Amino acid sequence: MWQPDPCTVTVNRAQSAYNEKQYERAASDFEAALSLCSSKDSIYMALGQAQLMSRQFTGAVRSFSKVSNNPLARKLAGDALYLQGKDTEAEEMLKSALALDPNHEATIYALGRMFYQSSRYPEAVEQFQKVLARDPKSYRAHDNLGLVYDAMHQDSLALKHFFAALDLVMKDHPDYDWAHANLADFFLKRNEYEKAFQLAAEAAKRNPTSARNFFLTGKALAQMNKDEIALKWLRQAVTLDPEYGTAHYLLAQVLRRNGKTEEANKHFEIFKKVNVNVRTRR
């Protein structure tokens, strides 16, 4: 009688769990598959990705290291190391990926992001320009160059790349909200609140699950003294992300100036407790 292949059954079960965003269960099943399957590289790759998504960073690095001479595996290991706060090791891992494939675009982009996050701006510019040299329509590279030039106080270059990103995502990438949100933040810092509001509201429309988009919209409204509407946006920001410290702080400020002292104090207390320095990748 025919019996299903245990390797195939376990891998399919793990992949289904991953597709359903049940990352811990997927990691457990992929790990079980290692003892059932003869071909290991693809299993280690899938296991590492499930571990990365479930924030099992040490395990993810270990799994990716089992994949032989694969630049993507090393890039993802670099992501995991970076999310652990191991910046030096992450940089070395990303550079080892580029040693295997100097044109690996995802790694070049990741290195640029890491340089930007660590305020190594000229090096970040170099990496994002390499991405654009390969793909002039890389809206993510344009968006990030906008961020880098903003940090370098080169406003004209920042706007050039922010607007390039907006043009590229306007119709072809309707789910990408970062370009609108980042440009909104740019205008907020320059007291151009109406422009910031329009951009942030569009970002929230594109991605209504992003607490940051609601925070930026609420902040723009608060700066325009439209507190009643601002409160709705800011309350939604902290509902979406209860540990968004900056949103709690601004919400508390707006509540206090509107005489809602008890609710304001609650959000001030939350602000004091939450960690606002959680690393993310995108």
Side-chain angles (χ1 to χ4, degrees):
M1 179 182 292
W2 176 84
Q3 293 291 330
D5 175 41
C7 168
T8 302
V9 170
T10 307
V11 169
N12 287 344
R13 185 172 66 236
Q15 191 60 56
S16 294
Y18 188 92
N19 293 341
E20 294 167 6
K21 300 183 179 181
Q22 300 294 320
Y23 299 120
E24 289 187 15
R25 181 158 58 88
S28 178
D29 285 337
F30 279 127
E31 199 152 14
L34 286 170
S35 63
L36 301 171
C37 303
S38 56
S39 178
K40 306 288 188 184
D41 273 9
S42 61
I43 307 298
Y44 275 119
M45 192 72 177
L47 171 59
Q49 290 174 309
Q51 290 169 323
L52 183 59
M53 294 304 293
S54 58
R55 304 187 70 82
Q56 301 175 52
F57 300 133
T58 300
V61 174
R62 185 166 55 247
S63 296
F64 289 131
S65 70
K66 300 286 188 179
V67 184
S68 303
N69 298 322
N70 185 314
L72 179 58
R74 295 194 184 185
K75 182 266 178 189
L76 293 170
D79 287 346
L81 288 164
Y82 176 73
L83 290 167
Q84 286 181 289
K86 297 179 179 180
D87 292 14
T88 301
E89 293 176 53
E91 182 176 344
E92 290 174 356
M93 186 64 73
L94 292 175
K95 288 181 176 178
S96 77
L98 291 175
L100 292 174
D101 180 1
N103 297 315
H104 196 257
E105 188 173 314
T107 303
I108 297 169
Y109 176 86
L111 197 56
R113 283 289 304 168
M114 197 175 76
F115 287 151
Y116 165 67
Q117 294 286 356
S118 56
S119 303
R120 294 163 63 180
Y121 301 131
E123 292 169 279
V125 168
E126 181 182 2
Q127 299 306 312
F128 292 130
Q129 291 287 13
K130 286 180 182 178
V131 174
L132 288 176
R134 294 180 54 76
D135 179 10
K137 292 187 176 181
S138 174
Y139 52 91
R140 288 184 173 88
H142 278 297
D143 186 20
N144 278 275
L145 276 171
L147 290 172
V148 177
Y149 284 124
D150 179 11
M152 295 172 73
H153 307 291
Q154 297 185 33
D155 286 12
S156 60
L157 284 172
L159 287 170
K160 171 188 171 182
H161 288 286
F162 279 137
F163 284 130
L166 287 184
D167 287 342
L168 289 165
V169 305
M170 195 64 68
K171 292 182 180 179
D172 293 339
H173 304 280
D175 296 332
Y176 188 81
D177 58 305
W178 287 96
H180 289 81
N182 289 335
L183 186 52
D185 190 47
F186 176 93
F187 283 129
L188 275 170
K189 289 182 286 189
R190 288 153 182 81
N191 302 330
E192 296 190 51
Y193 303 126
E194 182 61 41
K195 290 180 182 178
F197 165 72
Q198 296 292 340
L199 287 157
E202 173 62 23
K205 179 180 177 182
R206 286 170 172 252
N207 182 5
T209 67
S210 167
R212 181 182 183 235
N213 293 341
F214 282 84
F215 165 72
L216 292 171
T217 309
K219 184 176 182 179
L221 288 164
Q223 293 289 351
M224 292 189 290
N225 296 314
K226 297 182 178 181
D227 286 0
E228 185 176 347
I229 308 173
L231 287 172
K232 294 179 181 178
W233 288 86
L234 294 171
R235 286 187 175 117
Q236 181 62 11
V238 299
T239 297
L240 289 167
D241 184 356
E243 295 190 353
Y244 195 163
T246 308
H248 281 289
Y249 184 78
L250 180 58
L251 176 56
Q253 286 185 313
V254 178
L255 287 165
R256 180 167 288 180
R257 78 185 184 199
N258 283 272
K260 303 179 186 292
T261 306
E262 185 176 348
E263 188 181 356
N265 289 339
K266 181 185 77 172
H267 289 286
F268 274 128
E269 287 304 312
I270 296 172
F271 165 73
K272 292 176 185 177
K273 294 177 182 176
V274 298
N275 178 8
V276 296
N277 293 312
V278 176
R279 289 188 170 200
T280 58
R281 64 189 182 111
R282 68 174 180 94

